[in-house]
Amino acid sequence: MDNDALIDRLRRIVGAKHCLTDPSQTERFRKGWRSGQGEAIAVVRPGSLVEQWKVLQACVAADKIVIMQAANTGLTEGSTPKGSYDRDVVVISTLRMDGIHLIRDGRQIVGLPGSTLYKLEELLDPLGREPHSVIGSSCVGASIVGGICNNSGGALVRRGPAFTELSLHARLNADGTLELVNNLGIDLGNDPEEMLAKLERGDFRAEDIHDDAGRASDDDYASRVREVDAATPGRFNADPRGLHEASGSAGKLAVFAVRLDTFPTVEGAKTYYVGTNDTAQLTALRRALLSELDELPISGEYVHRECFEISRKYGKDTLLMIHWLGTSRMPMLFGIKEALDARLHKIGLLPGNLLDRVMQGLSRLFPEALPKRLLRYRDRFEHHLILKVAGTSADRAEAILNRTVGSDGWFLCDKDEAAKATLNRFAAAGAAARYQVMLGKDAGDLLPLDIALRRNDADWFEVLPKDLDDQIAAKIYYGHFLCHVLHQDYVLKAGTDTKAVKARMLELLDARGAEYPAEHNVGHLYEAKEALCDHYKRCDPTNSFNPGIGKTSRKKNWAA
């Protein structure tokens, strides 16, 4: 089947409107949220699971590479094409298939390929339950399946990486046959199209659901994170414990559905804002919270002062939009921005990143977004922590705070302070990219690192050699401190050799016993370690789904 014949077949399956071939229309699907871009002969947007199955069959018959894509919110270029391949690429965008089924009275859910965390939050809220992740990536509409495929970590200390052993997926076997594998633990029959149609309708009974089919979350993590004397990281993408079929597959399987646990909402939670100029105080605080509290903290988000200020200035528009509109509107707004960016990019006389520059300018017209007490802590302290605990743990947590950082190093947030502090933290990733844009010719590349430190590492704050530090315009440090997962984004100075700087950075991390990436997965920015490579080859023996991920082979059958 040549390309014209394939595209004609794809159009007959999904409709011409949902089979895009014009490069200006496909650009936003071929371009990563923060970096990365490649070519594809088509972007296909199936509207049902049966359509997705038929699209896969057509692509396999035509010997094309398939890249599965949901919300495309990843930070490491993992859901877009990049570089050259030995076969043509078809991107399958799953966002039209966003159904979610609540099962077992909402204690578990079945999420379809395009289902999003923000939609799941809305479904679960009346039931007093929450998904694995409730803020951060969900602000820009991250998908449930994308989180599972990348073992995304999230901010919530008790829940660990996104993980399940229960999925329905298509696998391309070594002999070239496309197989639909039902390991959801739900009886759906045997015919692929009938199975997929039943699942999409939710046409199954309580007795069709099996509770002994496998785990639907990383239920060991809570005990693992408490091991503060362990000389290894608590969670990272190459950890073999998190690699099971769809979990950690990074697009090497075509996932149709995942089954996941949900979690009770913690009532009466309290949020504290902590500041210090002594990293040893935060180390002592972390160890005490994880060791002494009967209930683990809900979250503990670290923000360095430079990150606080860059996020405050260059993430202000994001903070205000989420504050005013909520998370549910964000995917639509980001989609509009991406579409406009693609159109404006074709007009050569306009400056690059015009919309970012316009939005940055507009954000300056609004009054200060952050509460005064947060700004005073910015002035007083270099290191900040946003700590959230259950109300039943508040007294003991406050005693620990007094003992470690002192009574003048923390305050209990009111509702507005808690919300604004959290949003300022989660605007950081986008703010780093905006800051680089606004520097213009004075900036080099943006180098993001996503690292997991040893659980017993007392010297967690990075101090770079002077020759390396001199090549960096800004260091933006933030992360999930209690899990010892840090995000370190570097805006390099103009003319800096990015590859050389990154190599030096990784050498330093290796010497510290850190693992990387921690939760954003390898994408096209990191080299996949042995455990990940082995998992990819088990999932995709012909190397037809998302080849090249983790800097592995891009060739058919994993040829060298």
Side-chain angles (χ1 to χ4, degrees):
M1 196 187 318
D2 63 20
N3 288 350
D4 289 341
L6 172 63
I7 290 168
D8 181 63
R9 183 171 172 181
L10 295 174
R11 285 172 174 159
R12 282 186 275 116
I13 295 170
V14 302
K17 178 181 177 181
H18 299 295
C19 179
L20 310 177
T21 57
D22 185 333
S24 64
Q25 293 180 314
T26 63
E27 181 180 7
R28 68 188 183 96
F29 300 92
R30 296 183 289 105
K31 188 175 183 179
W33 185 70
R34 191 153 69 174
S35 65
Q37 186 171 352
E39 301 302 318
I41 61 168
V43 173
V44 189
R45 303 176 64 243
S48 70
L49 299 185
V50 172
E51 285 186 3
Q52 178 172 313
W53 174 249
K54 290 180 177 179
V55 167
L56 284 169
Q57 287 178 311
C59 291
V60 168
D63 194 24
K64 302 303 180 188
I65 285 170
V66 171
I67 296 179
M68 303 297 300
Q69 182 186 100
N72 193 18
T73 59
L75 299 180
T76 57
E77 308 176 0
S79 57
T80 55
K82 184 173 182 179
S84 60
Y85 301 89
D86 61 349
R87 293 149 288 167
D88 294 319
V89 174
V90 175
V91 175
I92 300 178
S93 172
T94 64
L95 285 182
R96 294 178 66 209
M97 300 169 289
D98 62 351
I100 300 172
H101 302 303
L102 303 179
I103 61 175
R104 296 297 190 241
D105 299 319
R107 296 191 305 276
Q108 288 189 331
I109 64 99
V110 175
L112 302 190
S115 56
T116 56
L117 284 169
Y118 79 83
K119 182 176 180 179
L120 180 55
E121 286 181 52
E122 291 181 342
L123 282 175
L124 292 177
D125 185 60
L127 305 178
R129 300 191 72 83
E130 295 177 340
H132 167 267
S133 182
V134 296
I135 190 66
S137 57
S138 58
C139 292
V140 290
S143 73
I144 295 169
V145 169
I148 291 295
C149 291
N150 291 295
N151 287 138
S152 299
L156 301 179
V157 178
R158 306 175 185 184
R159 300 179 194 173
F163 174 80
T164 186
E165 296 173 347
L166 308 174
S167 67
L168 177 67
H169 57 267
R171 178 180 185 272
L172 185 58
N173 294 316
D175 63 1
T177 59
L178 188 67
E179 176 186 14
L180 187 66
V181 180
N182 180 14
N183 287 335
L184 271 178
I186 301 175
D187 295 333
L188 296 168
N190 296 307
D191 178 76
E193 292 189 16
E194 290 181 8
M195 292 165 64
L196 294 170
K198 285 182 68 174
L199 177 63
E200 190 153 22
R201 294 194 304 267
D203 185 14
F204 46 84
R205 304 163 298 172
E207 52 265 38
D208 295 326
I209 304 171
H210 303 285
D211 293 327
D212 58 354
R215 295 189 298 153
S217 63
D218 186 355
D219 51 9
D220 296 330
Y221 183 73
S223 59
R224 209 155 68 235
V225 75
R226 285 190 183 272
E227 296 171 355
V228 293
D229 292 315
T232 56
R235 60 174 164 98
F236 53 97
N237 285 130
D239 189 342
R241 289 172 295 195
L243 306 177
H244 183 90
E245 295 182 342
S247 294
S249 61
K252 304 301 286 184
L253 297 170
V255 181
F256 287 82
V258 293
R259 178 177 163 188
L260 303 174
D261 290 330
T262 67
F263 305 87
T265 302
V266 179
E267 301 295 339
K270 294 190 176 183
T271 299
Y272 301 93
Y273 203 86
V274 183
T276 182
N277 291 310
D278 183 358
T279 58
Q281 290 186 337
L282 285 189
T283 299
L285 174 61
R286 173 181 173 272
R287 290 179 62 88
L289 290 169
L290 295 177
S291 303
E292 299 176 24
L293 292 184
D294 294 333
E295 296 177 282
L296 279 171
I298 298 168
S299 62
E301 292 298 291
Y302 171 76
V303 182
H304 185 260
R305 178 158 51 196
E306 188 170 9
C307 173
F308 180 107
E309 193 61 13
I310 285 175
S311 192
R312 170 182 165 263
K313 290 182 179 178
Y314 299 98
K316 183 179 178 180
D317 54 327
T318 299
L319 183 153
L320 290 174
M321 283 191 292
I322 297 171
H323 181 67
W324 291 333
L325 304 176
T327 60
S328 62
R329 303 285 181 88
M330 298 306 291
M332 177 190 70
L333 294 175
F334 274 89
I336 292 171
K337 179 184 179 297
E338 289 170 355
L340 288 173
D341 274 334
R343 289 177 179 271
L344 293 172
H345 182 67
K346 294 191 299 182
I347 304 175
L349 296 177
L350 295 177
N353 304 105
L354 177 62
L355 284 182
D356 278 297
R357 296 176 184 277
V358 170
M359 292 169 69
Q360 183 61 31
L362 290 174
S363 72
R364 293 173 179 168
L365 301 178
F366 292 94
E368 175 61 57
L370 296 182
K372 291 181 180 179
R373 283 204 290 184
L374 269 62
L375 296 174
R376 286 199 290 267
Y377 263 51
R378 172 207 58 189
D379 295 336
R380 289 179 58 197
F381 299 116
E382 181 180 2
H383 306 284
H384 300 224
L385 185 72
I386 308 161
L387 175 65
K388 187 174 182 180
V389 303
T392 50
S393 299
D395 289 344
R396 292 187 69 182
E398 290 177 11
I400 292 170
L401 285 166
N402 286 333
R403 190 175 83 224
T404 54
V405 300
S407 59
D408 65 341
W410 64 274
F411 64 84
L412 175 64
C413 296
D414 62 30
K415 185 176 180 181
D416 184 60
E417 289 169 333
K420 295 286 183 64
T422 302
L423 289 176
N424 193 54
R425 148 67 184 93
F426 285 105
R434 173 72 61 76
Y435 176 68
Q436 181 207 22
V437 166
M438 298 307 295
L439 282 180
K441 294 180 180 180
D442 293 331
D445 290 335
L446 176 65
L447 173 60
L449 294 181
D450 166 29
I451 66 173
L453 300 176
R454 295 170 298 170
R455 284 165 283 177
N456 67 350
D457 196 342
D459 298 322
W460 54 270
F461 186 72
E462 179 177 77
V463 179
L464 294 173
K466 186 177 185 305
D467 68 306
L468 196 54
D469 199 50
D470 286 345
Q471 300 180 69
I472 300 170
K475 299 188 292 287
I476 304 164
Y477 293 154
Y478 55 101
H480 316 308
F481 183 64
L482 300 183
C483 300
H484 252 196
V485 167
L486 294 179
H487 304 299
Q488 301 184 166
D489 296 345
Y490 309 89
V491 178
L492 304 182
K493 292 180 180 178
T496 299
D497 185 338
T498 306
K499 289 184 178 180
V501 169
K502 183 176 180 179
R504 286 278 307 282
M505 294 282 194
L506 298 186
E507 286 176 5
L508 294 172
L509 291 173
D510 289 338
R512 295 172 63 189
E515 290 280 355
Y516 49 84
E519 61 176 3
H520 291 159
N521 218 341
V522 288
H524 289 289
L525 299 184
Y526 294 90
E527 184 175 335
K529 295 184 178 179
E530 184 177 0
L532 273 178
C533 286
D534 291 345
H535 183 52
Y536 296 161
K537 289 179 180 179
R538 286 193 300 270
C539 291
D540 183 20
T542 70
N543 202 23
S544 296
F545 291 173
N546 210 8
I549 202 77
K551 301 190 177 181
T552 57
S553 170
R554 296 170 177 270
K555 297 183 180 296
K556 190 172 181 178
N557 297 320
W558 298 92

